[in-house]
Amino acid sequence: MTIETWQAQIKQAAARGGKLAIRGSGSKAFCSPPASPTAVLLDIRAHAGVVEYEPNELVIVVRTGTALAEVERVMTAAGQMLAFEAPHFGPGATIGGALASGLSGPRRPYAGALRDFVLGCKVVDGKGEHLAFGGKVMKNVAGFDVARLLAGSHGTFGVLTEVAFKCLPLPQSQQTRVFELGAEDAVVAMNRWYAAANPITASVWVGGRLYVRLAGAEPAVRLAATNLGGEALADDARWWRDWREQGHPFFAASDASSPLIRVSCKATAAFGDLGNGAEKQAIDWGGAQRWLRASSVALPAIREWARANGGFAQVFRGAAHEGERVSPLPAALVGVQQKLKQSFDPYGVFPNL
Amino acid sequence: MQAANFFEALSNVLPPDCIKTAAEDMRPYECDGLSMYRALPKCVALPENEAQLAAVVKLCHAHRIPIVARGAGTGLSGGAMPDPNALLLSTAKMMRILDVDPLACTARVQPGVRNLAISEAVAVHGLYYAPDPSSQIACTIGGNVAENSGGVHCLKYGLTVHNVRKLRVVLMTGEIIEVGSDSLDSVAPGGYDVLALMIGSEGLLGIVTEVTVKLTPKPQLAQVAMASFASVEAAGAAVGAIIAAGIIPGGLEMMDRIATEAVEGFVHAGYDLTAEAILLCESDGTPEEVADEIARVSDVLRQAGATDIKVSQNEAERLRYWSGRKNAFPATGRISPDYYCMDGTIPRKELPRVLNEIARLSGKYGLRCANVFHAGDGNLHPLIMFDANVPGELERAEEFGAEVLELCVEVGGTITGEHGVGIEKINQMCVQFSPKELTRMHEIKHAFDEHTLLNPGKAVPTLHRCAEFGKMRVTRGKPMPFAELERF
Ligand SMILES: Cc1cc2nc3c(=O)[nH]c(=O)nc-3n(C[C@H](O)[C@H](O)[C@H](O)COP(=O)(O)OP(=O)(O)OC[C@H]3O[C@@H](n4cnc5c(N)ncnc54)[C@H](O)[C@@H]3O)c2cc1C
């Protein structure tokens, strides 16, 4: 019923030049494209519930308005997880919001990104058509991989209504080792230890300390802990949850006056003092994600550094305008993107990316 | 535009030995691994580098000449089958490994590099490229990207899409784009995931000229457990039981007796020929981890009714167990003049039902069928055996195959897990997708290729074709799956 209502609403907006914006709990509004001021909100929370979950199939199919916490609860009870460790950024975060923003947490370098676990996805597009792409099996190459294209599309193509994710078993055992280390050495250590086939599932350097999470089969974790050394971290599950949710003091009070800049770069890029002091930087994702507490006037220089190191930089929290949040794209790619947008949302009902 | 002008212009952008126009020179390109579909292209171009390749594409664009890209031609769905009106663009001369970064665990390679050549080149660093299609000695990374190929290790290590970081792509206009990045983000903030869209696009959206792959640290140890079962159903149930125990093995493959018999006559892998089905279950990691996992797997297998379990005791033995699985296709080729390899994927719980149904269809069509498959992923490869020289057998094989694919869709699966749609499964696309989704896919193609010049007629059927197929199915007198869905 909800879907038919949305379809009608979208068709009406399309016919009359109206604007719509899709919203779950609003937990990720700060890193999403802004809605038109005249936009009417579509609340996806009206469309909630697990459609199908058979742990033995390693697949969960959920309506996108379902709370992320609820999905995680159901999966934990069955001994499984969404391995990309989606950040919630708020108590009411929905699975649809996670999907549309495409964000992944600390396990990303080792298990894969959100889009890597998408098996299928349904969308009501800007013409009001309800389309289904992908499916609910592990491998599927029939037609273009539109389901993964929809992941991270930030509600610009339409309302994502249902998603199928690949699930993985929870690791048998887990522990985190902490090392007192400088930033330069931490980058090297993160990369070396991974390349040496240690069962690492997260690594972060912050405040002069390197945190390495080991998880997997009990004997492997125990052995790696002995080999790597360091100190054990008490209540590490909680530490990693805080880190993922940006509840760690490093992230405190990020807003326009003190923005949080995200740099995505080659994991091996040597530490660059981009924030004017090592305490202004944290190194995440085995080196491939760097967080900076720096003023946005430094953004052009940071972007240049990121480009030279194989990636991008953006103001993640506290962007003063869209130009700080998104990166300029090359012309040929802009052309393709506009045509993609045009095919899903020809009447411009939804925001632009 | 006159053809002579085109060839003249082509000879200005490519050296003479990079163009082939004589029928006898083009013969080697007339089909891919799906050899029942053959045609000679208009001409063959073999650019030596990206600049030449882009110039060829630009020229074709100006002359509105379609292009079919080709890697090694091992594809099993006719994706690289030539079109008499199209230029065949081979990447055979672009096979250099450009850069290996052992610390970042990445390699940057040209599209014509063979899949196995990457792993061989990085082995000195203790790394490898994880997706390992059985054709890995021959198939190219460009072909792998176009098909989103998998291998026997992809339940744990992912498909091509999970192991590619960045692509350089020549668009049909001759413009070059880079998608993905050297970081872990597949898109820049404000971008759509065009990298994901390119992978598995079967040469319909652009020509890949450079691939940056993710490399995986080689596990210290790998061991494989080989279990025998008295029935295919029992083996199928054992697969579910392993997953239920929270184990994601490095590889989990099944073969039925027809397949093991064919293989044993070919490579002597040591398979139990008294078993109706065997499972190969690989465990990798540190020696402690492997010992622990093999013990758990063996318990599960025994409880699931395995009649015998052997565990490889050394690397030579492990490779021998796998050699049978990896040679299952050629082995089938030895016991039958022709075979037709299907590629549907189903929810694992449907394995017993689908395998029984395949056995029934085998009787109905009077054709033998061996089952070799990626059991962990539910990706089936029924090998339908036939003799093309016996009138009517090829048609029967194709009908048998079509029924299997439609069954896969019916139980909630897909018509292709890793071999692609190509020309082969183009009709079954009409069964899996409604006209709305197919229209959207055509629009997506147009976003990249306005004049439909890249691999035309492949992968996504026109609605007209679906309508014709629908009529044909009705007249065949079979019930249509999803008869309730709108059709033209
Ligand atoms: C014995 C055997 C075993 C096989 N086992 C497996 C398996 O285990 N798993 C699996 O997934 N597949 C398997 N295959 C199928 C096949 O090997 C794969 O699909 C492989 O990726 C094809 O690579 P290729 O270089 O031969 O590509 P081709 O067959 O030459 O081309 C395949 C498609 O890619 C396009 N293409 C090629 N190069 C480019 C490029 N640079 N840019 C854009 N498009 C391009 C072509 O147009 C075509 O559509 C097997 C095949 C055989 C014969």
Side-chain angles (χ1 to χ4, degrees):
Chain A
M1 296 93 281
T2 326
I3 289 175
E4 278 97 81
T5 315
W6 287 338
Q7 285 180 295
Q9 219 176 334
I10 292 168
K11 283 182 182 157
Q12 199 180 40
R16 298 188 188 158
K19 303 280 178 203
L20 299 171
I22 306 149
R23 213 180 140 100
S25 73
S27 63
K28 294 172 190 73
F30 71 89
C31 61
S32 306
S36 152
T38 61
V40 173
L41 289 186
L42 290 187
D43 191 334
I44 59 163
R45 288 173 297 185
H47 188 61
V50 174
V51 178
E52 208 177 310
Y53 179 37
E54 286 176 79
N56 285 4
E57 296 293 328
L58 297 177
V59 179
I60 189 162
V61 183
V62 280
R63 296 195 186 97
T64 49
T66 317
L68 184 52
E70 169 65 8
V71 176
E72 288 172 346
R73 192 190 58 73
V74 169
M75 291 179 71
T76 309
Q80 294 190 338
M81 62 175 177
L82 292 173
F84 48 90
E85 255 185 315
H88 292 224
F89 293 153
T94 62
I95 192 91
L99 175 67
S101 60
L103 299 175
S104 310
R107 199 182 298 264
R108 192 287 165 238
Y110 310 102
L114 175 136
R115 69 91 131 133
D116 292 325
F117 291 86
V118 171
L119 300 175
C121 186
K122 292 187 185 171
V123 60
V124 183
D125 69 6
K127 300 176 207 170
E129 280 178 1
H130 199 200
L131 308 169
F133 296 100
K136 51 175 186 176
V137 286
M138 292 291 117
K139 292 164 87 179
N140 186 354
V141 294
F144 298 132
D145 200 346
V146 184
R148 282 188 228 278
L149 175 72
L150 294 171
S153 63
H154 285 282
T156 60
F157 282 149
V159 191
L160 308 177
T161 58
E162 198 175 293
V163 59
F165 279 117
K166 177 176 175 176
C167 317
L168 285 183
L170 286 165
Q172 259 183 352
S173 90
Q174 170 179 314
Q175 59 167 294
T176 298
R177 310 300 295 182
V178 187
F179 307 80
E180 300 279 344
L181 215 58
E184 275 96 3
D185 294 340
V187 171
V188 175
M190 286 170 169
N191 282 285
R192 285 244 171 92
W193 293 346
Y194 169 69
N198 284 294
I200 298 177
T201 65
S203 53
V204 161
W205 178 87
V206 63
R209 291 207 169 108
L210 172 62
Y211 297 78
V212 175
R213 185 175 69 189
L214 302 166
E218 206 276 324
V221 170
R222 196 168 3 102
L223 185 75
T226 315
N227 289 345
L228 298 182
E231 301 275 320
L233 177 68
D235 200 3
D236 72 328
R238 185 196 181 120
W239 193 92
W240 287 105
R241 197 162 50 241
D242 274 356
W243 182 258
R244 183 191 72 196
E245 295 305 325
Q246 302 192 338
H248 185 279
F250 174 83
F251 297 103
S254 9
D255 55 27
S257 63
S258 169
L260 173 67
I261 296 178
R262 173 178 183 267
V263 178
S264 165
C265 62
K266 204 167 171 164
T268 48
F271 173 75
D273 188 6
L274 305 166
N276 213 3
E279 73 288 355
K280 297 280 174 58
Q281 184 166 169
I283 305 173
D284 199 349
W285 283 8
Q289 180 168 256
R290 315 220 173 162
W291 299 104
L292 293 169
R293 300 305 303 271
S295 149
S296 45
V297 293
L299 189 61
I302 295 170
R303 281 197 162 146
E304 188 42 40
W305 184 91
R307 197 197 51 76
N309 285 288
F312 333 94
Q314 66 179 138
V315 175
F316 191 72
R317 284 182 193 266
H321 56 87
E322 277 298 280
E324 291 184 352
R325 192 183 62 82
V326 304
S327 288
L329 298 174
L333 205 50
V334 170
V336 168
Q337 291 216 153
Q338 281 171 345
K339 288 180 205 156
L340 290 174
K341 166 79 174 164
Q342 184 74 22
S343 79
F344 279 91
D345 183 24
Y347 310 107
V349 171
F350 299 108
N352 285 318
L353 199 55
Chain B
M1 205 70 74
Q2 292 281 303
N5 287 347
F6 172 73
F7 286 117
E8 202 182 298
L10 190 62
S11 66
N12 289 334
V13 299
L14 284 183
D17 64 325
C18 296
I19 306 172
K20 303 205 184 300
T21 51
E24 67 271 20
D25 294 337
M26 300 198 293
R27 202 62 73 192
Y29 303 92
E30 73 180 345
C31 65
D32 65 3
L34 185 72
S35 57
M36 51 258 224
Y37 293 92
R38 282 167 198 269
L40 281 182
K42 181 186 186 73
C43 64
V44 177
L46 297 119
E48 295 165 313
N49 53 48
E50 184 184 76
Q52 285 179 3
L53 189 147
V56 172
V57 174
K58 206 166 175 171
L59 186 69
C60 287
H61 185 249
H63 289 252
R64 299 287 186 264
I65 291 181
I67 295 178
V68 177
R70 181 184 175 98
T74 68
L76 291 173
S77 56
M81 188 189 85
D83 176 326
N85 299 314
L87 173 141
L88 188 91
L89 186 55
S90 164
T91 58
K93 289 190 191 239
M94 294 174 68
M95 48 190 307
R96 280 193 309 134
I97 294 179
L98 301 169
D99 183 35
V100 174
D101 185 338
L103 191 54
C105 298
T106 57
R108 196 161 57 84
V109 305
Q110 290 188 322
V113 170
R114 290 174 306 109
N115 172 298
L116 188 61
I118 303 176
S119 292
E120 285 169 351
V122 302
V124 288
H125 306 294
L127 300 169
Y128 72 112
Y129 175 63
D132 58 340
S134 304
S135 52
Q136 70 185 145
I137 329 172
C139 66
T140 67
I141 190 74
N144 293 174
V145 167
E147 303 288 10
N148 190 15
S149 302
V152 298
H153 293 98
C154 59
L155 180 63
K156 183 164 174 184
Y157 294 102
L159 306 160
T160 304
V161 69
H162 304 110
N163 290 278
V164 168
R165 290 271 168 79
K166 186 163 109 177
L167 298 174
R168 278 176 73 84
V169 179
V170 174
L171 298 177
M172 195 57 219
T173 52
E175 289 168 292
I176 298 171
I177 57 170
E178 277 197 359
V179 292
S181 77
D182 292 316
S183 73
L184 290 179
D185 286 1
S186 48
V187 281
Y192 291 120
D193 200 336
V194 176
L195 175 62
L197 192 59
M198 283 300 310
I199 296 174
S201 64
E202 303 196 26
L204 266 73
L205 303 182
I207 311 291
V208 173
T209 54
E210 205 177 283
V211 186
T212 303
V213 297
K214 168 187 163 191
L215 302 172
T216 303
K218 243 200 212 137
Q220 294 170 22
L221 179 70
Q223 262 187 314
V224 57
M226 179 165 74
S228 308
F229 288 89
S231 73
V232 172
E233 285 91 342
V239 171
I242 290 173
I243 307 285
I247 301 167
I248 302 289
L252 186 53
E253 299 281 313
M254 192 197 292
M255 281 191 254
D256 69 5
R257 188 146 69 121
I258 304 181
T260 52
E261 279 174 353
V263 160
E264 276 301 307
F266 188 50
V267 292
H268 310 294
Y271 293 160
D272 177 358
L273 295 181
T274 64
E276 280 306 311
I278 64 159
L279 274 187
L280 291 171
C281 181
E282 182 156 289
S283 172
D284 59 12
T286 61
E288 300 73 13
E289 201 175 5
V290 171
D292 177 75
E293 192 168 278
I294 288 280
R296 289 199 292 144
V297 162
S298 302
D299 275 351
V300 174
L301 289 170
R302 249 187 305 274
Q303 274 166 29
T307 52
D308 188 27
I309 300 173
K310 286 203 185 89
V311 177
S312 65
Q313 293 307 314
N314 53 52
E315 190 59 9
E317 196 167 50
R318 183 183 78 91
L319 294 175
R320 188 155 58 82
Y321 288 175
W322 277 121
S323 72
R325 167 62 188 88
K326 293 224 170 190
N327 283 294
F329 294 6
T332 308
R334 263 186 30 136
I335 61 162
S336 170
D338 299 283
Y339 70 91
Y340 187 27
C341 173
M342 310 310 299
D343 177 43
T345 303
I346 56 170
R348 268 178 298 260
K349 65 174 177 211
E350 300 289 353
L351 275 174
R353 170 171 161 204
V354 171
L355 293 173
N356 277 328
E357 185 59 15
I358 290 174
R360 191 189 67 79
L361 290 170
S362 168
K364 169 178 161 188
Y365 287 100
L367 297 174
R368 284 181 301 165
C369 180
N371 281 295
V372 178
F373 57 93
H374 309 300
D377 303 302
N379 184 194
L380 307 174
H381 287 324
L383 300 171
I384 300 171
M385 291 174 252
F386 67 100
D387 183 349
N389 289 323
V390 176
E393 279 213 358
L394 169 63
E395 290 72 19
R396 287 214 313 275
E398 288 191 309
E399 266 196 50
F400 181 172
E403 278 208 54
V404 172
L405 295 186
E406 287 159 31
L407 173 66
C408 292
V409 176
E410 202 178 298
V411 301
T414 175
I415 57 172
T416 174
E418 58 180 13
H419 295 165
V421 173
I423 191 68
E424 179 207 13
K425 305 176 197 82
I426 195 100
N427 286 334
Q428 280 69 40
M429 280 292 282
C430 313
V431 178
Q432 185 161 337
F433 292 98
S434 81
K436 288 182 302 190
E437 282 98 14
L438 294 174
T439 302
R440 184 55 39 87
M441 288 185 205
H442 284 295
E443 287 172 7
I444 290 171
K445 173 158 175 63
H446 281 245
F448 290 82
D449 172 21
E450 197 184 341
H451 305 289
T452 320
L453 296 172
L454 284 170
N455 220 0
K458 312 270 179 70
V460 186
T462 60
L463 298 188
H464 177 73
R465 183 169 184 131
C466 288
E468 292 299 308
F469 176 63
K471 273 189 232 155
M472 187 186 83
R473 289 182 53 91
V474 175
T475 52
R476 255 197 289 170
K478 282 192 235 160
M480 274 205 299
F482 305 118
E484 72 285 4
L485 291 184
E486 180 186 342
R487 278 196 171 64
F488 292 114

